[in-house]
Amino acid sequence: MGSNSIVSNRWMSEKMNCLDLSPNSNSDNEEEEVHVLAVDDSLIDRKVIERLLKISSCKVTAVDSGWGALKLLGLLDDDEEDKSSSSSSSSSSSSSSSAGFEGLKVDLIITDYCMPGMTGYELLKKIKESSSFREIPVVIMSSENVMARIDRCLEEGAEEFIAKPVKLSDVKRLRDYYMATREIRSVQSSVNVNKRKLQESFDVSTSSSPPSISPSPSPSSASPQSLFSSSAPCSPSSLDSPTRRIKMTSFD
């Protein structure tokens, strides 16, 4: 594998091919901005990835450790927070982010693999175990192309494994990929909302309709047997008896 080769999930290119990713000059910059959390213990590498992300119109929050990333995301318990006390330095491209990280919205996480205290793989596992952040795409960077390491990260849920040094084209492609997946999720959300509204409308119309009344059978539709089933069998009267009629005739 080349020095800048990229290993990614197979369905990544399929998602991107479904959408038009050409820039739209009329789009709102705030809506198009992608917030990326960059994690790297190397100051130089961290500044490089931060610079590349800013050139690609991304908002960046950079931290120097996996513990720092978990603390920023609010995923540390009391014991883990003690371990992270030495890894709490962070920087941000936004002054509001440096003031506090409550309610921080992160769209994409890019992390180095080899870091002291917590590797990028361990950080990946922590994020994927979180119900709040498991859907955030995580990209792993490394200067070592070890296939076992790459396979393990992809199996754990990493979107990509990028070999260092990271290029500007890599960062721009990651941004385009995220924008594509965000548009797909938006379309899917709209479809789900429309389905739910249609189902609710159907349920309301069904519950408001009057109950059906079964028509009672008319006398003409009743069978001959049903007309006489409630009474005893009729016997001919004494006047109608053939024997009685003969006797009366002979007497007269």
Side-chain angles (χ1 to χ4, degrees):
M1 185 157 35
S3 60
N4 287 290
S5 58
I6 299 173
V7 180
S8 62
N9 288 333
R10 289 177 298 178
W11 43 265
M12 176 176 175
S13 58
E14 297 176 0
K15 285 186 176 181
M16 294 185 66
N17 290 335
C18 296
L19 299 167
D20 181 12
L21 300 177
S22 57
N24 185 358
S25 58
N26 297 324
S27 61
D28 188 349
N29 290 334
E30 286 295 325
E31 292 183 357
E32 297 299 319
E33 190 176 49
V34 178
H35 187 187
V36 182
L37 173 59
V39 188
D40 202 317
D41 63 307
S42 169
L43 176 61
I44 295 177
D45 290 346
R46 193 164 64 247
K47 291 299 182 181
V48 168
I49 189 67
E50 188 174 358
R51 177 62 177 166
L52 294 176
L53 287 167
K54 288 181 179 179
I55 293 175
S56 302
S57 302
C58 294
K59 177 182 177 181
V60 188
T61 299
V63 295
D64 60 1
S65 67
W67 293 113
L70 292 180
K71 184 176 182 180
L72 187 146
L73 296 173
L75 295 178
L76 288 181
D77 54 30
D78 294 338
D79 294 336
E80 290 175 330
E81 193 160 359
D82 293 338
K83 297 179 183 178
S84 68
S85 58
S86 60
S87 306
S88 59
S89 62
S90 62
S91 62
S92 174
S93 61
S94 172
S95 58
S96 60
S97 295
S98 61
F101 295 115
E102 284 192 25
L104 180 68
K105 180 180 179 296
V106 175
D107 300 312
L108 180 67
I109 298 174
I110 301 179
T111 178
D112 187 27
Y113 183 92
C114 294
M115 295 185 294
M118 175 180 291
T119 66
Y121 174 74
E122 292 170 336
L123 174 60
L124 169 67
K125 289 186 64 177
K126 288 284 187 181
I127 293 171
K128 295 306 177 181
E129 289 170 358
S130 166
S131 59
S132 302
F133 298 101
R134 67 178 56 169
E135 298 300 325
I136 297 179
V138 179
V139 176
I140 308 293
M141 306 177 294
S142 179
S143 56
E144 301 175 357
N145 293 327
V146 181
M147 289 308 300
R149 179 184 298 174
I150 294 171
D151 292 339
R152 184 169 61 167
C153 290
L154 295 178
E155 289 172 0
E156 192 62 37
E159 297 297 322
E160 288 201 24
F161 194 102
I162 301 180
K164 289 184 175 181
V166 180
K167 288 184 175 181
L168 179 60
S169 58
D170 298 334
V171 174
K172 287 184 176 180
R173 188 183 50 77
L174 287 175
R175 180 187 179 278
D176 289 343
Y177 163 65
Y178 173 77
M179 297 303 298
T181 57
R182 183 164 72 177
E183 186 171 342
I184 291 174
R185 287 194 298 268
S186 176
V187 172
Q188 290 175 340
S189 176
S190 299
V191 171
N192 292 335
V193 169
N194 290 335
K195 283 184 178 180
R196 185 168 61 253
K197 288 183 178 179
L198 181 62
Q199 182 63 39
E200 291 175 353
S201 175
F202 176 77
D203 293 341
V204 170
S205 61
T206 303
S207 61
S208 61
S209 60
S212 59
I213 302 176
S214 302
S216 58
S218 61
S220 60
S221 63
S223 62
Q225 282 186 339
S226 64
L227 294 176
F228 299 101
S229 58
S230 60
S231 60
C234 296
S235 58
S237 64
S238 57
L239 292 177
D240 293 333
S241 171
T243 305
R244 181 60 180 167
R245 287 199 299 269
I246 292 173
K247 287 183 178 182
M248 291 180 66
T249 303
S250 61
F251 179 80
D252 294 336

